Amino acid sequence: ASSNQRHVHPLPLRRRLGQLGLGPDAPSGVVANPTILPYLSQSHALCATESVLEVAAGDSFSVARGQDGAVYTFGSKMGGRLGHGEVPGGFWRSNPFKSFRKVERVPRRVRGVPAAREMFVGPWVTFIKTERGDVWGWGDGGSGVLANGREQVVAVPEPIQALTDLGVRKIAVGHSHAAAITYSGDLYTWGLNQHGELGQGNDIGGSPFFSRLFPVPVPYFQQLREHLGGGVRDVAAGWRFTVAAAGAGGEVFAFGSGLAGRLGTGAEQDAWGPEQVWEEEGVPMAAQRLYAGMAHTVAVQSEDAPGESSGGAGGGAEGEEDSVKDRNNLRTM
C-alpha cells in the first residue's frame, strides 16, 4: 500500500477478512484496482491524525501509523493480531466494548499503547517503538516470536522489556522467528530454529527445533566485527530464513532454509549459521537495505538515486544507461 498526506490506497487483494479496511458496505470479492481508504482520511471522524505516515500488511490484517503516533489495525482478529483485546462477549480493560466480531472491516485505533515512532509488522505479530525507545508488541506469540518469554497469544499490547533493554534500532519479523539490530550493531534472534533461521547452530538446547523465548546474540557477527569493520547494518526475516548486511561495506550474510535459493548462496541446503553471499564475479555482495519475502530476497545496493526501479526509464541510449544503473542498485536472490 502507499499513502499520501490524506489517503491510503490498498492494492488489489481479497477483502473477505476486512484487511483492506474499506468498511462493511464495500463489495465482496477481489478489489482489482487501488482504492482510496476513506476511513483513514483526515476528513473522516474516525481518524483524528493529520496524516498517515506508514502502512504495513501482515497475514490477513493491516496496520497504519498516523503522524500523531496513533496505530490503527483492521482485518482478521485471529490470534490477537489486531491488538484490540476483545474476546467474544467479553470486555477490554477499562474501556468496555462487547464484541462478537471476528474481523474489523474498518480501521480501529489500538488502545492502551503509547504513541508509536516506528512499527515492525510480521505475519501474525506487530511491534511498535516509542520516542523513548520502548518496545511494545501483540499478536500470536507462538514459538516465542514476541520475545516475552512465552509462547501464547497476546491480544492486548504489552511492553516487551527484553527488547527495550537491548536498545533495538530495527526489528525484522519472519514466519516463526524474529531478529533485531541494536544501536551498537549487534544482531539478536529469537523464536523457532527449525532450519537455522536463528543463526546459532543446530544444537540449541539439545535440539535443532528448539525455540528461543528471549533475544540471544548471534555470535558470528560479534566475533567478526573487527574483521568486517563494523556491526550489523540491516536485517530482514522471511519464511524460515534471515539475511543481514554487516560491516563498513554492508557485506551480505544469510542463514536458515535454503529452499528455492532464497539464501543466495548458490545452494538449496539449510544454513545453520551465517554464510556469506557472493556475486557472480566472485566478490562479496554488499547491500544498504535488505527485504525478505516468503521465498526470495531483494537487496538494494545503492540509495544514491531514490525512486528509481530495476527497469529502464525509456527507449534510446538514455534509457539503456538508466537500466544498467538501476540493475546495479537492485539485486534479487
Side-chain angles (χ1 to χ4, degrees):
S2 62
S3 67
N4 55 26
Q5 288 192 336
R6 295 182 182 272
H7 302 294
V8 174
H9 297 258
L11 298 179
L13 191 65
R14 290 187 181 274
R15 58 166 297 276
R16 179 172 56 88
L17 295 176
Q19 61 264 52
L20 298 190
L22 296 175
D25 299 325
S28 61
V30 173
V31 178
N33 295 292
T35 304
I36 290 176
L37 206 167
Y39 295 96
L40 286 180
S41 168
Q42 184 184 4
S43 61
H44 197 279
L46 175 72
C47 186
T49 185
E50 182 178 343
S51 63
V52 174
L53 297 184
E54 187 177 9
V55 291
D59 185 346
S60 302
F61 76 104
S62 302
V63 188
R65 179 175 66 89
Q67 188 175 28
D68 59 359
V71 177
Y72 299 83
T73 57
F74 42 102
S76 171
K77 296 168 68 175
M78 184 181 299
R81 63 192 75 178
L82 298 189
H84 298 316
E86 294 92 353
V87 294
F91 293 90
W92 178 74
R93 289 187 175 180
S94 60
N95 181 23
F97 186 92
K98 185 176 291 187
S99 174
F100 294 91
R101 296 193 299 273
K102 295 183 179 180
V103 301
E104 290 287 350
R105 301 187 185 280
V106 174
R108 182 171 168 214
R109 183 169 182 173
V110 179
R111 303 291 179 178
V113 63
R117 187 183 69 181
E118 295 179 89
M119 63 185 194
F120 311 96
V121 179
W124 301 298
V125 302
T126 298
F127 293 99
I128 66 105
K129 190 171 75 170
T130 70
E131 286 287 348
R132 293 177 45 186
D134 297 335
V135 178
W136 289 62
W138 63 88
D140 189 342
S143 302
V145 72
L146 279 174
N148 60 0
R150 310 193 303 276
E151 297 183 75
Q152 63 189 49
V153 170
V154 174
V156 295
E158 67 174 40
I160 310 298
Q161 196 61 44
L163 295 178
T164 298
D165 291 344
L166 286 176
V168 297
R169 179 172 60 85
K170 178 181 179 179
I171 302 170
V173 187
H175 174 249
S176 298
H177 78 291
I181 306 172
T182 67
Y183 282 101
S184 61
D186 291 324
L187 180 66
Y188 285 75
T189 56
W190 62 95
L192 184 63
N193 192 54
Q194 187 170 1
H195 295 273
E197 52 265 59
L198 300 190
Q200 300 180 29
N202 60 355
D203 192 29
I204 300 177
S207 168
F209 305 119
F210 187 82
S211 291
R212 290 285 195 187
L213 304 186
F214 289 105
V216 177
V218 180
Y220 182 89
F221 295 107
Q222 294 180 322
Q223 297 165 2
L224 290 184
R225 177 186 289 266
E226 183 175 347
H227 171 72
L228 294 173
V232 177
R233 301 163 54 125
D234 197 27
V235 66
W239 188 275
R240 306 198 189 285
F241 74 102
T242 309
V243 289
E251 296 180 24
V252 178
F253 299 81
F255 42 98
S257 172
L259 187 64
R262 65 191 72 180
L263 298 183
T265 57
E268 293 193 53
Q269 287 80 17
D270 293 350
W272 291 88
E275 294 190 3
Q276 189 157 14
V277 179
W278 300 83
E279 298 206 29
E280 295 178 351
E281 297 81 4
V283 297
M285 184 173 188
Q288 292 192 13
R289 297 295 300 273
L290 295 167
Y291 302 90
M294 179 176 177
H296 73 291
T297 304
V298 176
V300 179
Q301 294 190 307
S302 172
E303 295 182 330
D304 294 336
E308 295 185 354
S309 67
S310 58
E318 182 178 356
E320 293 173 0
E321 292 174 358
D322 288 342
S323 178
V324 171
K325 179 172 61 176
D326 293 344
R327 286 200 302 271
N328 289 334
N329 289 341
L330 186 68
R331 297 295 179 93
T332 57
M333 298 185 289

